[in-house]
């Protein structure tokens, strides 16, 4: 009697083996679609069935032969994915860093016991919650100094494949420093423009961006020297000019300086001179004209309705 058929059952599916005369073995191919880690005992149990031409059947399975215990390991590493916040600047010294660790569907799964998280080379505390195919990890930090910090994480799946993640942040909780060199705040001047000079510096999150506003109008960004110094000629209207200087650092923190410049010279000087000449040329004046003439300061023909330094 001769063997008529040899087949193997893998995960509920039968695969018929072909006889190889060179190796004198029955051979075939089966394709596992998932790691065997989740299987009972950590392996797939195979069953081999052989039949002869008289119809007799002989069967052997993994409970009898350890050679029929198929261990399948994945070769794809897990994934560590940052959720928040994005890398870069942090404007708080107590951030929560959130990321996920997942393994592919059908993989061996994330081995949570291998998860490690470090802050600047030192172990960091974290909490986890299950999600699809893995875990969500939250690392709540506190008391971070302003400046650069590095967070690293590593985890393996149950088949020993490892993933790593490095995150780079700069903590900046201090806005830029603005120092106005000139003019003095709330200064009274006669000029139609003023030169504003100062410095804007930030040690943690350069570069600094400076804008000057006059009465709410943005006069544009000001270039800074290497030392943070700036200069800007600002035109002035007659009366009160509210000057606002803002400095923003790379982290988005903003400092603001507000002061007022009073321009006292009126643009109506010639009109006042003409009016005075007209009043003096009259032989007789009305009561209103006499009152106006009596309240006129002859030097420059300013009057009490104008913004000027009259007595």
């Amino acid at each position: 009697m001769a063997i008529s058929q040899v087949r193997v059952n893998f995960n509920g599916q039968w695969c018929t083996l072909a006889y190889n005369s060179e190796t004198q073995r029955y051979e075939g191919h089966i394709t596992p679609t998932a790691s065997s880690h989740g299987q009972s005992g950590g392996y797939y149990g195979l069953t081999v069935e052989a039949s002869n031409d008289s119809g007799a059947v002989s069967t052997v399975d993994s409970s009898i032969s350890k050679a029929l215990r198929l261990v399948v390991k994945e070769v794809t590493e897990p994934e560590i994915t940052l959720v928040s916040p994005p890398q870069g600047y942090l404007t708080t010294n107590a951030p929560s860093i959130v990321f996920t660790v997942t393994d592919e569907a059908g993989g061996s799964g994330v081995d949570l016991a291998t998860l490690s998280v470090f802050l600047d080379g030192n172990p960091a505390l974290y909490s986890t919650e299950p999600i699809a195919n893995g875990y969500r990890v939250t690392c709540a930090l506190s008391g971070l100094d302003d400046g650069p910090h590095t967070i690293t994480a590593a985890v393996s799946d149950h088949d020993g494949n490892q993933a790593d993640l490095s995150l780079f942040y700069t903590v900046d909780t201090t806005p830029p420093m603005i120092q106005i060199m000139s003019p003095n705040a709330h200064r009274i001047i006669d000029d139609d423009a003023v030169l504003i000079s100062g410095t804007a510096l930030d040690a943690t999150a350069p570069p600094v961006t400076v804008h000057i506003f006059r009465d709410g109008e943005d006069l544009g960004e000001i270039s800074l020297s290497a030392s943070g110094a700036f200069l800007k000629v600002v035109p002035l209207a007659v009366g009160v000019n509210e000057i606002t200087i803002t400095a923003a650092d790379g982290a988005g923190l903003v400092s603001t300086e507000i002061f007022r410049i009073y321009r006292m010279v009126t643009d109506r000087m010639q009109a006042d001179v003409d009016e005075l000449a007209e009043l003096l040329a009259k032989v007789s004046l009305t009561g209103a004209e006499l009152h106006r003439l009596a309240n006129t300061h002859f030097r420059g023909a300013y009057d009490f309705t104008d913004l000027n330094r009259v007595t």
Side-chain angles (χ1 to χ4, degrees):
M1 291 179 288
I3 295 176
S4 59
Q5 177 180 264
V6 177
R7 61 178 187 166
V8 61
N9 186 293
F10 167 67
N11 206 23
Q13 299 293 322
W14 286 100
C15 173
T16 301
L17 307 182
Y19 183 72
N20 186 331
S21 59
E22 293 184 1
T23 62
Q24 297 183 350
R25 296 177 179 178
Y26 286 88
E27 300 174 352
H29 294 277
I30 55 177
T31 305
T33 58
S35 169
S36 62
H37 174 77
Q39 300 295 314
S40 177
Y43 60 86
Y44 290 102
L46 304 182
T47 299
V48 176
E49 178 187 276
S51 305
N52 61 21
D53 52 11
S54 68
V57 178
S58 179
T59 302
V60 63
D61 60 27
S62 59
S63 64
I64 299 173
S65 173
K66 291 184 178 181
L68 296 178
R69 297 176 182 179
L70 179 62
V71 176
V72 178
K73 290 184 177 290
E74 64 169 319
V75 295
T76 303
E77 65 184 29
E79 289 188 0
I80 307 180
T81 305
L82 176 64
V83 175
S84 65
Q87 296 187 76
Y89 288 111
L90 298 172
T91 56
T92 173
N93 60 9
S96 288
I97 311 300
V98 181
F99 56 90
T100 60
V101 291
T102 57
D103 198 31
E104 64 178 348
S108 62
V110 173
D111 185 358
L112 195 57
T114 67
L115 176 62
S116 62
V117 182
F118 289 85
L119 168 65
D120 298 332
N122 300 309
L125 297 177
Y126 60 85
S127 60
T128 61
E129 59 178 308
I131 59 173
N133 300 322
Y135 299 89
R136 180 184 178 95
V137 182
T138 301
C139 186
L141 306 175
S142 62
L144 297 184
D145 295 330
D146 277 19
H149 297 276
T150 302
I151 296 174
T152 58
V155 71
S156 299
D157 60 27
H158 288 284
D159 285 339
N161 303 294
Q162 180 174 307
D164 301 281
L165 177 69
S166 294
L167 303 172
F168 303 95
Y169 294 100
T170 298
V171 173
D172 179 28
T173 59
T174 305
M177 182 181 67
I178 302 176
Q179 184 175 10
I180 305 302
M181 303 300 187
S182 66
N184 298 328
H186 310 309
R187 182 176 178 184
I188 299 173
I189 64 175
D190 292 330
D191 302 317
D192 60 359
V194 63
L195 176 64
I196 297 177
S197 65
T199 58
L201 299 170
D202 190 278
T204 306
V208 176
T209 302
V210 174
H211 283 254
I212 289 186
F213 300 79
R214 187 199 65 195
D215 296 330
E217 177 188 359
D218 189 352
L219 302 182
E221 182 178 343
I222 303 175
S223 299
L224 301 181
S225 70
S227 62
F230 61 84
L231 293 170
K232 178 70 174 181
V233 176
V234 176
L236 300 176
V238 173
V240 182
N241 296 262
E242 184 173 89
I243 308 298
T244 302
I245 301 176
T246 64
D249 64 17
L253 298 178
V254 178
S255 292
T256 303
E257 289 286 337
I258 301 176
F259 57 93
R260 292 176 177 84
I261 301 294
Y262 298 87
R263 181 183 172 197
M264 301 304 291
V265 175
T266 175
D267 288 335
R268 292 177 290 168
M269 174 189 275
Q270 186 59 48
D272 286 341
V273 171
D274 294 341
E275 182 180 358
L276 178 61
E278 181 182 350
L279 290 173
L280 294 175
K282 288 188 176 184
V283 176
S284 61
L285 300 174
T286 65
E289 289 173 334
L290 284 171
H291 177 77
R292 185 161 181 78
L293 182 59
N295 287 277
T296 297
H297 190 289
F298 290 98
R299 182 169 61 87
Y302 297 131
D303 67 30
F304 70 97
T305 63
D306 291 322
L307 296 170
N308 54 65
R309 298 182 184 138
V310 299
T311 59

